[in-house]
């Protein structure tokens, strides 16, 4: 079973799937679907826009007894001029402790060779399968509109916060606030979901995404380092010392 590629699964909330500015990596799904996963940034297979970045994740969740619990990690993502994508998955660890995060997976998406590799860092085995086209953003944030969503059960307020930069890369900032009516999803009172994003038109994705949910707390995805030079070709091949097994043989 293929993991989420960082290249798409479900949106932030089933209720506001149409309310999201873009489909991200992972998300939270309600109305019986019961998913609770991180909603990281979405990186499409865009040609001619290479980069290497370091993405810091911080997830702060509320506790029933009061207070919060925060977990963090940091991981690299790269894309070359042909649209190949390399990314690592690292385990979340408690913030402010001596716990050290460990890499769990390496994912390489190669649309040129029509191959997708999912490499287990523990077993050092890569499962290979066909590349699956990941579409560009359905709706860049600049096209998002305010108004009712999910059949009128919620309302989205979309705000343009203007031009900015992230580590020297030009971006445009936006904020979406989705207000959910009481009773729309078992909630006894009105709930508000919030997302702030800093979108790079040059690269085709958000360099910063901050999501706040009444039940799941706050998820922050922040680019802490970035360069737009061409990554070395070695990143888009299975890592040295890893064996490769075709997906149909691994099942």
């Amino acid at each position: 079973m293929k993991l989420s590629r960082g290249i798409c699964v479900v949106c932030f909330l089933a209720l506001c799937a149409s309310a999201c500015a873009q489909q991200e990596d992972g998300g939270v799904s309600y109305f019986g679907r019961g998913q609770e996963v991180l909603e990281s940034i979405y990186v499409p297979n865009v040609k001619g826009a290479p980069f290497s970045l370091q993405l810091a994740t911080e997830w702060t969740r509320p506790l029933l007894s009061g207070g919060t619990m925060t977990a963090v990690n940091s991981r690299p993502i790269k894309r070359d001029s042909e649209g190949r994508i390399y990314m690592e998955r690292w385990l979340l660890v408690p913030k402010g402790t001596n716990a050290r995060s460990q890499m769990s997976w390496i994912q390489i998406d190669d649309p040129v060779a029509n191959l997708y590799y999912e490499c287990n860092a523990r077993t050092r085995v890569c499962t290979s399968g066909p590349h699956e086209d990941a579409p560009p953003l359905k709706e860049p944030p600049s096209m998002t509109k305010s108004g009712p969503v999910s059949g009128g059960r919620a309302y989205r307020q979309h705000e343009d916060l203007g031009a900015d930069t992230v580590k020297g890369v030009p971006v445009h900032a936006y904020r979406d606030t989705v207000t959910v009516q009481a009773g729309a999803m078992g909630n006894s009172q009105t709930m508000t979901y919030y997302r702030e994003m800093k979108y790079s038109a040059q690269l085709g994705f958000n360099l910063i995404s901050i999501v706040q949910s009444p039940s799941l707390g706050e998820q922050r995805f922040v680019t802490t380092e970035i360069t737009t030079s061409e990554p070395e070709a070695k990143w888009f091949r299975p890592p040295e010392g890893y064996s490769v097994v075709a997906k149909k043989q691994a099942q």
Side-chain angles (χ1 to χ4, degrees):
M1 178 179 178
K2 181 178 289 189
L3 294 176
S4 162
R5 296 163 50 193
I7 314 173
C8 172
V9 181
V10 289
C11 203
F12 155 52
L13 180 66
L15 172 64
C16 68
S18 59
C20 291
Q22 65 173 313
Q23 192 171 14
E24 303 275 30
D25 165 24
V28 180
S29 179
Y30 291 86
F31 294 121
R33 294 185 177 92
Q35 290 194 25
E36 179 181 317
V37 293
L38 284 170
E39 183 194 1
S40 187
I41 63 173
Y42 169 99
V43 180
N45 299 103
V46 172
K47 291 186 177 182
F51 71 86
S52 297
L53 66 77
Q54 194 72 20
L55 185 71
T57 297
E58 184 168 308
W59 187 2
T60 301
R61 286 175 283 182
L63 299 174
L64 287 175
S65 57
T68 59
M69 180 172 64
T70 302
V72 296
N73 72 11
S74 181
R75 63 192 182 97
I77 305 174
K78 304 174 187 289
R79 183 176 66 198
D80 71 2
S81 294
E82 294 300 316
R84 300 178 181 94
I85 295 172
Y86 169 94
M87 66 172 63
E88 295 174 5
R89 301 289 181 178
W90 285 68
L91 300 177
L92 289 164
V93 295
K95 184 178 181 180
T97 69
N98 293 327
R100 297 184 61 182
S101 179
Q102 296 182 1
M103 183 172 65
S104 54
W105 294 88
I106 295 172
Q107 296 166 307
I108 301 169
D109 188 40
D110 186 348
V112 178
N114 191 35
L115 287 170
Y116 175 78
Y117 298 98
E118 204 151 65
C119 304
N120 188 315
R122 181 179 60 82
T123 63
R124 300 178 73 83
V125 174
C126 297
T127 301
S128 68
H131 159 79
E132 296 178 7
D133 288 331
L137 301 182
K138 294 181 179 179
E139 184 181 81
S142 59
M143 297 177 62
T144 303
K145 305 296 183 183
S146 298
V149 293
S150 287
R153 291 178 291 175
Y155 184 88
R156 175 182 58 207
Q157 179 66 41
H158 180 71
E159 301 174 74
D160 185 329
L161 303 181
D164 199 351
T165 60
V166 174
K167 300 299 178 180
V169 177
V171 295
H172 206 97
Y174 301 89
R175 180 187 296 126
D176 282 347
T177 304
V178 177
T179 304
V180 182
Q181 295 178 0
M185 41 193 287
N187 50 312
S188 61
Q189 59 186 19
T190 299
M191 298 192 305
T192 301
Y193 294 82
Y194 159 97
R195 168 182 298 215
E196 187 168 316
M197 64 210 86
K198 294 191 176 182
Y199 176 76
S200 167
Q202 172 188 349
L203 299 175
F205 61 90
N206 292 326
L207 296 186
I208 292 179
S209 177
I210 301 171
V211 180
Q212 293 179 348
S213 157
S215 58
L216 297 179
E218 180 179 84
Q219 297 178 3
R220 301 178 66 90
F221 304 91
V222 177
T223 297
T224 57
E225 301 173 23
I226 187 168
T227 175
T228 55
S229 57
E230 186 76 19
E232 294 183 61
K234 68 177 183 179
W235 295 108
F236 307 100
R237 299 189 293 265
E240 186 176 349
Y242 281 63
S243 60
V244 178
V245 179
K247 184 177 180 180
K248 61 180 181 180
Q249 296 175 356
Q251 291 178 339

